[in-house]
Amino acid sequence: MYNTTELCSVVSGHSSPAAILCKCTTRTAFISQLVKKRQPWILLPGNFQRLLSRVLKLALSSEGLYQLFNIPAFTTAMTSSTNVSCFHEARRVAIFGGTHGNEMSGVTLVNLWIQNGKEIHRKGVETKPFITNPRAVEKCTRYVDTDLNRAFTTENLSAPSGDDLPYEVQRAQQINEIFGPKGSPEAYDVIFDLHNTTSNMGCTLILESSKDHFNLQMMHYIKKAIAPDSCPVLLTEHPLLKYSTSRSVAKHPVGLEVGPQPQGVLRSNIFESMRVVLKHALDFIELFNEGLEFPPCTVDVFRVSEKMDYPRDTNGNIIAMVHPNLQDCDWEPLNPGDPMFQTFDGTTLRYEGAGTVYPTFINEAAYYEKQQAFVTTRRETLAAGAIKKNIGQSYSV
Amino acid sequence: MEGREVVLPTVSRVALCGGTHGNELSGVYLVRERLKRKRKVEEEDHISVVTVMSNPRAVQQCRRYTETDLNRCFTHATLSGPVTDKTPYEIVRSQELNTLLGPKGSPEAMDLVCDLHNTTANMGLCLIAYSDCDWISLHIYRYLQRQMSDIPVRFIHFDLPLNEAYSLDSVGKHGFAIEIGPQAHGVVRSNILSTMQEGVQHMLEWVHLFNSGTQFEGGKVDVYTMVKNVDYPRDFETHGITAAIHPQLQDRDFCLLRPNDPVFQTFSGETLKYKGTEPLYPFFINECAYYEKGIALSLARQRSVGIPSIRSEREGEQGKRTSSADEMEEEEKIKGEMEGEGYQKLIEYGEESDSLNGQHN
């Protein structure tokens, strides 16, 4: 929260007038300060009125967003659409590979780009390729002590550092320092986290928050760019099923999950698909940074619903496999009564949910130990407001 | 070759092994289910099948191996090497398995050792063996081909002498691996498991028929003999790979690779072509476990092999063979020749001690 003095100094300190908004102290104090600073644009009655009403409207909203206004643009925006979310430019972007050491597309791409970053270079963007779990990569294993992509919990990140911590927890702390701190204004703008799956998921984008309009717009852009090929969006926003990923350190975390590919194997087609999706993502960022306004859009997503384990016996051993009718059918509807598992002696077990769901992560190798045969999702359409980069200087708020 | 009949001892003791690589799950699940059910054998089957979980520690961790690849530990040298407390687990285990199922090369060895594997390569069902004139294995191969129409069945021959043969199946008098793909390691696909169950079932069927005195007519079978391995192109300094299997070669196991056909695609998009002069058949294309062994794919020559008609020895008919120069050579290759002694027909299933089988919960 800014007091009026700070607010005014920030406002007056910029050549193209802009107002930082949070929750104002008092309306009159704000006005008097602005008048005192003799900002000529403020004194234009129409602009002033509109600015003030906008300030107060946002101050009273529960969003708590920081907004930057360019006054000329603001006035036009007021007449066209009051709902353009302005973000500061996405200047710092990271590309993570090897979060799981045996998911080879990401490992290979990131190593390639560390050697020669030309392909990922975009004007005005610092793109940093980074191997998150080098020890696991070296051993070509998912993780050494614990799953890095579950390690970015508040508890782990705030624990006192030390060599006695599991390797991946230490690593999470280091990554948080370099690319975060998670939740702070200093955190990286965007992190792409590259993964492979043994499931037949194609190129799936993973979205962590339904309110991340920047990410929604990016995913909308990517989907359009790779059409007619499809790019499903998995929304992992769920009170129980959401997990603390390495990418969650950034303001805008983007997961990219491409399959099917066995662990430890590099398939050309999978590798190229991932590369193409990333290219479009970086193009989007470049366009955004150049000032392009992206109009409101909708994005069809699959919201994660329920984790389904394999049927097990009393000793915890798996007693059935994914049914042949369900195997490889990620993103296809699973209706109540449809075959789901097949026991070793050939009995079919059927899905008994209330309605149609869209399963994914079907038969992912790494999830046997996490008690997950597949996860169900439900279709949803999310709306993203228009977004645009602010034209003033970016603030690190 | 096809005119004469070869008489061979019955195949009364069979070992079925899974989990030799702990993350090749079809074999793991198949063995686990068999051990769970501890199926009673009908007297008429004339065979005893010992079911073994070869590498229980690796199975528990769902890894290929813990310290060293178990399926490279069955050379005579490794089997007879000294064991200390520093000896890798898999070497200790290979010697245990040799005691249980062998000793390799001796008359006490199992008549048939069948080792179950999966591969990430698109190989269908392959029998892999060290001999191209072990009639038992080749007849089983032909039988499987005829019985299983859904999946291609092939025979791969690694031309190595017995003492250099390094895999578990070389412990028995007759032996082969059943390799089924494609399946990612650490995953069990229902269709692949069904295929493996079917394959094992047909194999045991054949053994039963053979032991009951059925004569199997001779003929010709196609065999792929391994010629060489091809590694990935690698960076000179880091030794990391610089290309992936070309999309036009990926999944095309056993499709003839001709000179100048694409083999690799570098990360900068360049196509690397097959430089050999002889067209060969690729297999184990992009097998996950072979990256560390420096193998991107293997290449084989295909040939047609004549197999004689065979039947099992009848009671009191020991050692009766039609003789020829070829036969002498053949007899050398048929492991565990019984000289003037009968052998017991045991009927026991899966009754090995837990410490040798490892876990089979």
Side-chain angles (χ1 to χ4, degrees):
Chain A
M1 188 179 311
Y2 285 83
N3 63 35
T4 40
T5 318
E6 284 167 345
L7 191 69
C8 293
S9 67
V10 165
V11 166
S12 60
H14 288 76
S15 53
S16 62
I20 295 274
L21 178 70
C22 53
K23 296 184 164 94
C24 299
T25 48
T26 67
R27 178 176 161 172
T28 42
F30 177 74
I31 294 168
S32 70
Q33 286 294 320
L34 287 174
V35 168
K36 223 162 145 185
K37 295 287 174 184
R38 295 178 191 279
Q39 297 296 314
W41 53 270
I42 290 292
L43 295 174
L44 289 170
N47 285 348
F48 173 65
Q49 293 291 331
R50 277 191 281 270
L51 169 65
L52 190 59
S53 71
R54 179 69 170 148
V55 161
L56 291 172
K57 210 188 276 183
L58 287 167
L60 296 169
S61 82
S62 57
E63 293 242 42
L65 285 173
Y66 295 111
Q67 301 238 354
L68 298 170
F69 294 90
N70 174 295
I71 294 304
F74 160 75
T75 48
T76 48
M78 282 295 283
T79 48
S80 59
S81 145
T82 47
N83 292 318
V84 184
S85 303
C86 289
F87 294 82
H88 55 89
E89 67 179 354
R91 203 174 41 77
R92 291 154 84 221
V93 173
I95 303 174
F96 284 177
T99 298
H100 295 133
N102 53 9
E103 295 178 12
M104 303 302 291
S105 308
V107 171
T108 309
L109 280 172
V110 164
N111 277 333
L112 209 65
W113 291 328
I114 288 173
Q115 294 250 339
N116 182 349
K118 194 165 133 207
E119 192 181 333
I120 54 171
H121 172 74
R122 294 292 189 279
K123 201 170 43 159
V125 189
E126 176 200 316
T127 44
K128 189 179 168 85
F130 188 80
I131 296 283
T132 42
N133 196 339
R135 261 212 234 164
V137 168
E138 207 203 340
K139 293 177 154 193
C140 197
T141 185
R142 182 177 174 85
Y143 56 80
V144 172
D145 292 330
T146 186
D147 194 335
L148 179 62
N149 214 29
R150 304 289 183 277
F152 286 77
T153 59
T154 318
E155 188 193 337
N156 279 349
L157 295 179
S158 55
S161 61
D163 290 335
D164 51 320
L165 288 175
Y167 170 71
E168 277 86 6
V169 174
Q170 293 182 43
R171 197 67 191 140
Q173 292 180 343
Q174 288 163 12
I175 290 166
N176 193 40
E177 236 175 286
I178 303 171
F179 298 98
K182 178 166 166 173
S184 78
E186 289 83 46
Y188 261 58
D189 298 298
V190 186
I191 295 179
F192 297 101
D193 193 16
L194 308 182
H195 287 267
N196 289 119
T197 174
T198 58
S199 307
N200 188 24
M201 286 168 73
C203 275
T204 293
L205 292 166
I206 307 186
L207 179 67
E208 300 201 351
S209 162
S210 57
K211 297 181 182 50
D212 188 339
H213 291 220
F214 181 85
N215 270 358
L216 279 167
Q217 287 277 3
M218 184 199 299
M219 295 185 180
H220 179 255
Y221 177 89
I222 294 170
K223 278 158 87 73
K224 265 195 341 187
I226 75 163
D229 290 340
S230 73
C231 196
V233 175
L234 175 66
L235 175 64
T236 55
E237 187 178 66
H238 186 288
L240 298 171
L241 297 181
K242 183 165 188 171
Y243 44 86
S244 307
T245 56
S246 43
R247 56 185 177 266
S248 66
V249 162
K251 293 175 186 144
H252 305 291
V254 179
L256 183 47
E257 189 82 53
V258 187
Q261 181 173 270
Q263 296 166 345
V265 160
L266 183 68
R267 290 178 68 103
S268 281
N269 58 331
I270 300 287
F271 174 81
E272 288 300 322
S273 309
M274 191 180 264
R275 204 174 193 172
V276 163
V277 168
L278 262 167
K279 170 197 142 27
H280 292 308
L282 293 173
D283 288 347
F284 168 86
I285 291 175
E286 189 175 29
L287 288 169
F288 175 82
N289 287 353
E290 281 172 0
L292 184 65
E293 179 175 326
F294 293 85
C297 67
T298 58
V299 183
D300 288 332
V301 305
F302 292 92
R303 182 189 284 272
V304 79
S305 176
E306 192 186 357
K307 181 171 110 163
M308 303 292 281
D309 190 13
Y310 292 95
R312 292 173 190 268
D313 64 20
T314 45
N315 293 326
N317 297 307
I318 289 176
I319 56 171
M321 316 163 275
V322 170
H323 195 278
N325 287 21
L326 179 58
Q327 179 69 55
D328 298 335
C329 293
D330 300 68
W331 308 121
E332 291 175 35
L334 180 70
N335 303 305
D338 284 351
M340 193 170 56
F341 295 110
Q342 186 179 72
T343 64
F344 296 120
D345 54 18
T347 311
T348 296
L349 305 173
R350 297 177 185 275
Y351 177 59
E352 282 167 8
T356 299
V357 289
Y358 296 83
T360 192
F361 276 122
I362 299 174
N363 210 351
E364 159 55 51
Y367 289 173
Y368 280 55
E369 69 173 22
K370 297 199 202 294
Q371 285 92 49
Q372 183 175 310
F374 62 95
V375 78
T376 62
T377 69
R378 287 175 202 281
R379 298 183 75 151
E380 209 172 298
T381 302
L382 296 181
I387 65 165
K388 192 177 141 102
K389 182 192 85 162
N390 78 298
I391 301 178
Q393 280 182 25
S394 47
Y395 294 88
S396 55
V397 285
Chain B
M1 170 73 104
E2 285 123 53
R4 65 193 170 95
E5 176 191 80
V6 172
V7 177
L8 295 168
T10 55
V11 179
S12 9
R13 296 162 69 228
V14 176
L16 191 60
C17 306
T20 301
H21 294 135
N23 55 5
E24 295 177 15
L25 294 193
S26 304
V28 170
Y29 277 77
L30 196 148
V31 160
R32 240 188 221 156
E33 287 302 300
R34 286 186 71 96
L35 292 172
K36 241 200 266 187
R37 281 177 286 146
K38 283 200 191 291
R39 277 179 36 211
K40 288 234 118 209
V41 172
E42 287 96 88
E43 283 272 325
E44 66 198 273
D45 274 19
H46 304 301
I47 34 171
S48 76
V49 179
V50 165
T51 307
V52 181
M53 191 70 86
S54 316
N55 194 340
R57 253 197 230 177
V59 168
Q60 212 235 338
Q61 296 177 29
C62 200
R63 304 164 64 88
R64 182 177 174 84
Y65 56 81
T66 61
E67 292 173 82
T68 188
D69 191 337
L70 175 62
N71 214 29
R72 301 292 182 275
C73 292
F74 292 90
T75 58
H76 264 132
T78 310
L79 290 176
S80 47
V83 167
T84 67
D85 50 10
K86 290 198 174 51
T87 307
Y89 168 75
E90 276 85 7
I91 293 183
V92 174
R93 186 64 183 147
S94 71
Q95 297 191 358
E96 273 176 17
L97 288 165
N98 191 40
T99 307
L100 174 67
L101 305 176
K104 173 167 164 171
S106 79
E108 289 81 44
M110 286 281 159
D111 295 310
L112 177 62
V113 172
C114 174
D115 191 20
L116 304 174
H117 286 266
N118 290 117
T119 172
T120 57
N122 186 25
M123 285 168 65
L125 191 157
C126 289
L127 301 188
I128 307 181
Y130 293 100
S131 167
D132 60 355
C133 50
D134 175 357
W135 312 133
I136 300 283
S137 301
L138 287 169
H139 270 273
I140 291 175
Y141 160 49
R142 193 178 65 170
Y143 186 76
L144 249 51
Q145 256 188 339
R146 287 175 172 176
Q147 299 296 319
M148 297 178 76
S149 48
D150 294 346
I151 188 168
V153 176
R154 300 183 181 93
F155 191 97
I156 301 175
H157 162 229
F158 280 71
D159 196 3
L160 286 176
L162 188 63
N163 62 330
E164 282 177 45
Y166 46 74
S167 51
L168 171 54
D169 49 275
S170 68
V171 169
K173 294 179 190 136
H174 308 279
F176 47 79
I178 294 184
E179 183 92 52
I180 306 187
Q183 179 172 272
H185 297 315
V187 154
V188 63
R189 291 178 68 97
S190 47
N191 59 328
I192 299 282
L193 182 60
S194 304
T195 302
M196 192 174 267
Q197 283 167 334
E198 219 188 307
V200 166
Q201 185 205 321
H202 288 308
M203 177 188 74
L204 294 175
E205 245 167 46
W206 185 92
V207 170
H208 165 60
L209 289 168
F210 178 74
N211 290 348
S212 311
T214 310
Q215 188 201 51
F216 290 92
E217 61 180 34
K220 281 195 182 309
V221 288
D222 285 334
V223 161
Y224 292 89
T225 297
M226 147 73 164
V227 170
K228 61 182 174 181
N229 293 322
V230 178
D231 192 8
Y232 289 96
R234 290 177 187 271
D235 180 270
F236 182 68
E237 284 164 12
T238 64
H239 205 60
I241 67 175
T242 55
I245 296 283
H246 197 277
Q248 284 172 37
L249 178 60
Q250 179 69 56
D251 298 334
R252 294 173 64 78
D253 300 70
F254 300 108
C255 297
L256 188 65
L257 185 70
R258 298 180 176 83
N260 286 326
D261 279 350
V263 179
F264 297 110
Q265 185 175 71
T266 67
F267 303 140
S268 48
E270 194 195 333
T271 297
L272 303 178
K273 300 179 180 171
Y274 175 49
K275 291 286 169 244
T277 47
E278 182 190 354
L280 291 171
Y281 290 87
F283 65 101
F284 278 130
I285 298 175
N286 210 350
E287 160 54 48
C288 162
Y290 288 177
Y291 281 57
E292 68 174 19
K293 297 193 202 296
I295 300 172
L297 63 145
S298 300
L299 290 169
R301 227 169 252 136
Q302 188 194 49
R303 23 191 277 276
S304 184
V305 169
I307 57 176
S309 146
I310 65 170
R311 66 168 172 85
S312 60
E313 281 177 353
R314 296 189 193 106
E315 292 276 342
E317 186 198 14
Q318 295 141 20
K320 207 173 183 180
R321 301 271 187 280
T322 56
S323 63
S324 74
D326 293 332
E327 278 290 62
M328 297 305 287
E329 194 188 348
E330 207 183 286
E331 274 176 0
E332 261 179 84
K333 290 190 180 174
I334 294 171
K335 298 165 216 175
E337 166 74 343
M338 303 294 227
E339 304 230 356
E341 285 185 3
Y343 33 84
Q344 288 174 303
K345 288 179 187 164
L346 303 165
I347 301 176
E348 64 193 37
Y349 271 66
E351 278 162 23
E352 303 311 307
S353 68
D354 285 340
S355 62
L356 287 174
N357 258 354
Q359 61 164 49
H360 48 271
N361 43 359

